[in-house]
Amino acid sequence: MDGMLHGLMQDWPLRIHTIIDHAAAQHGARKVVSRSVEGPIVETDYAAIRTRSLRLAKRLAREGVRPGDRIATLAWNTARHLECWYGITGMGAVYHTVNPRLFEDQIAYIVDHAQDRMMFLDLGFVPLVEKLAPRLPSIERYVILTDAAHMPNTSLPGAVPYEEYLAEADADFAWLAVEEGAAAGLCYTSGTTGEPKGVLYSHRSNVLHALMARAPDALGLSARDVAMPVVPLFHANGWSFGFSAPMTGASLVLPGPKLDGASLAELLTRFRVTISAAVPTVWFGLLQHLEASGTMLPDLQRVVIGGSACPRAVTRTFRDVYGVEVLHAWGMTELSPLGTVCSLKPDYGELDAEAWLDVKERAGQSFYGVEMRIVDDAGAEQPWDGKTSGRLQVRGPAVARAYFRREDEPILTGDGFFDTGDVATIDRFGNMQVVDRAKDVIKSGGEWISSIDLENAAVSHPDVAEAAAIGVPHPKWDERPLLVVVPKPGREPDKAAILAHLAQRFAKWQVPDDVVFVEEIPHTATGKISKVELRRRIVPPVAE
């Protein structure tokens, strides 16, 4: 615009390396603890991670890796994996986090689709990748995240141990000055319907997302925190902890491959973790271990729970037994991934114990950088009254505008909003509650029944470890809810008792017609209940 007066401030591009530079300068001695894949717990710090990341960047450049090249990582949460993120992006390439929990065909598809040139992988994944290697023609070299002493005999082409690969370069390297809009990270959606789709993050979007995520009413990270992200780094940027923790100077505890209740409890207590994050199934296992062992959590202050709705009973147990606040969070791979966090606003005033839990069941408010709205099927905005539901749409600087190598396929509305596929309500204070995935809402007699509400209520029964609600065909009502239950170990829940438990909270027409007991409920690669697979497995008799 002619005549515009520009500000006179420095141009300081938002590049990812600035995060680890800051961490090394201001918080260099802050601990980063890993449970290594080899077994022992090892300690390093942010200064050492920066030095090793510089060495990796230099070694990759010597390898012939170019800006924009995709480098796959197939690894658990360890300091080595974190070094890969900073080393790869620091020389202009793109880290592509591959989820090992995907089906083999999906892994082969996304590595081929991304055209990854190299792969950095943990020891435990060598057999898997050896099987897949003939289907991964773009991979020129495999680097095993271990040392020479633990290096396995492998048929993987060009395979070398990470420590020896790293030793071939020093840290005399200048981070590449890429544009802040340059691609930095790639993560594929789990592909529950159709092929997985690639979300391509930029340096700018990742830095801004970390700034947003660390805020007091989001993750609330500070240099006084010890953070343990149980959520894997391969799960949508590890919910930002790999960036937001070093940005604030929070110490990191990385649990490696052992995510059972006993292993997590050991790290939580030994290293005095103050904040942790994981999907609900992880917390089910931890709470069962704590109850059985009598272990307490004297230092833990808050846990971030996302990926799927957190049952009220879990939130209550953390608060009443362990003095820990649950921060219910919602997000998507396409949002980098955090979109909302339920840290209570003062607008609610004083809440008694049950009212506090009522609010805590919600997914929370968006923070600055995430615009949110709900619309009906015609696209008309719906009121924020806590009752009216609609399709949840978002936009912001860390929200995807297209999928990788599918740029011609529109995914935004005309005014730039991304449709999340969730159905939600938003109350007058801006607190959002996901009613259901649009494809999972049970519609009975023209009325919606929330599968999430049924599941959360079922899990509050003392005999129920996990529950899933699905709609099954009905000749009169179109669909009726069916509850699928995993009993707690040593318990034998009674079907009538569970239905009576639900009848205290739901109208008669909302209560499921039947309960099916199973040993396990199938989950997607990101820890969510797989309703598609569950429907395949559970074929109830058609109601009369």
Side-chain angles (χ1 to χ4, degrees), residues 199-413:
V199 179
L200 190 62
Y201 309 112
S202 67
H203 284 259
R204 179 178 187 269
S205 70
N206 274 344
V207 173
L208 287 175
H209 180 264
L211 283 166
M212 289 148 49
R214 71 173 188 165
D217 284 317
L219 300 180
L221 289 176
S222 80
R224 287 157 292 286
D225 276 308
V226 178
M228 186 175 81
V230 182
V231 56
L233 292 175
F234 57 71
H235 186 181
N237 281 331
W239 298 0
S240 153
F241 278 91
F243 297 131
S244 54
M247 182 180 280
T248 57
S251 183
L252 273 173
V253 176
L254 302 170
K258 297 183 70 174
L259 306 183
D260 59 283
S263 298
L264 295 179
E266 177 194 1
L267 296 177
L268 288 166
T269 54
R270 177 175 168 184
F271 295 101
R272 306 187 68 179
V273 171
T274 60
I275 178 172
S276 188
V279 297
T281 49
V282 168
W283 300 121
F284 296 159
L286 175 69
L287 290 176
Q288 287 176 14
H289 168 78
L290 295 176
E291 182 180 2
S293 65
T295 305
M296 297 303 289
L297 301 170
D299 301 291
L300 191 63
Q301 298 167 6
R302 56 205 189 280
V303 294
V304 185
I305 302 184
S308 56
C310 173
R312 184 185 186 97
V314 171
T315 304
R316 184 195 301 275
T317 300
F318 267 121
R319 181 193 68 182
D320 294 350
V321 179
Y322 302 102
V324 175
E325 180 182 6
V326 165
L327 295 173
H328 196 183
W330 168 86
M332 301 177 69
T333 305
E334 289 89 342
L335 274 69
S336 300
L338 291 178
T340 66
V341 176
C342 192
S343 59
L344 296 190
K345 292 181 177 180
D347 310 60
Y348 290 102
E350 293 296 322
L351 298 173
D352 63 28
E354 291 304 311
W356 186 89
L357 288 170
D358 289 340
V359 178
K360 275 292 184 176
E361 281 190 294
R362 299 173 192 171
Q365 64 267 12
S366 61
F367 32 80
Y368 176 79
V370 178
E371 289 184 65
M372 194 168 56
R373 71 182 183 188
I374 49 175
V375 301
D376 63 16
D377 289 340
E381 286 199 45
Q382 299 301 291
W384 289 19
D385 58 12
K387 298 176 182 178
T388 307
S389 60
R391 299 183 71 95
L392 180 63
Q393 299 180 341
V394 294
R395 67 180 177 186
V399 179
R401 60 178 171 84
Y403 293 114
F404 181 51
R405 296 181 62 192
R406 300 174 69 159
E407 289 85 348
D408 294 336
E409 301 175 21
I411 66 170
L412 302 183
T413 63

Side-chain angles (χ1 to χ4, degrees), residues 103-152:
F103 297 120
E104 291 181 10
D105 286 348
Q106 290 178 313
I107 294 174
Y109 171 83
I110 67 173
V111 171
D112 181 64
H113 187 269
Q115 288 292 287
D116 296 323
R117 285 192 59 187
M118 296 176 63
M119 179 180 286
F120 288 74
L121 66 151
D122 273 335
L123 276 170
F125 300 130
V126 170
L128 167 65
V129 178
E130 284 177 338
K131 280 200 297 181
L132 291 176
R135 302 168 62 184
L136 311 178
S138 65
I139 301 288
E140 301 165 8
R141 183 195 284 277
Y142 294 88
V143 180
I144 316 299
L145 292 168
T146 191
D147 53 25
H150 294 88
M151 182 68 180

Side-chain angles (χ1 to χ4, degrees), residues 79 86 160 174 176 239 244 269 296 319 378 397 419 437 448 489 538:
Y86 286 103
V160 294
L176 207 66
W239 298 0
S244 54
T269 54
M296 297 303 289
R319 181 193 68 182
D419 192 318
R437 291 292 291 168
W448 283 0
I538 308 292

Side-chain angles (χ1 to χ4, degrees), residues 54-63 141 165 168-169:
L54 282 162
R55 288 167 57 191
L56 178 57
K58 187 171 185 176
R59 182 63 186 86
L60 289 171
R62 186 184 300 167
E63 184 87 12
R141 183 195 284 277
Y165 187 75
E168 294 173 7

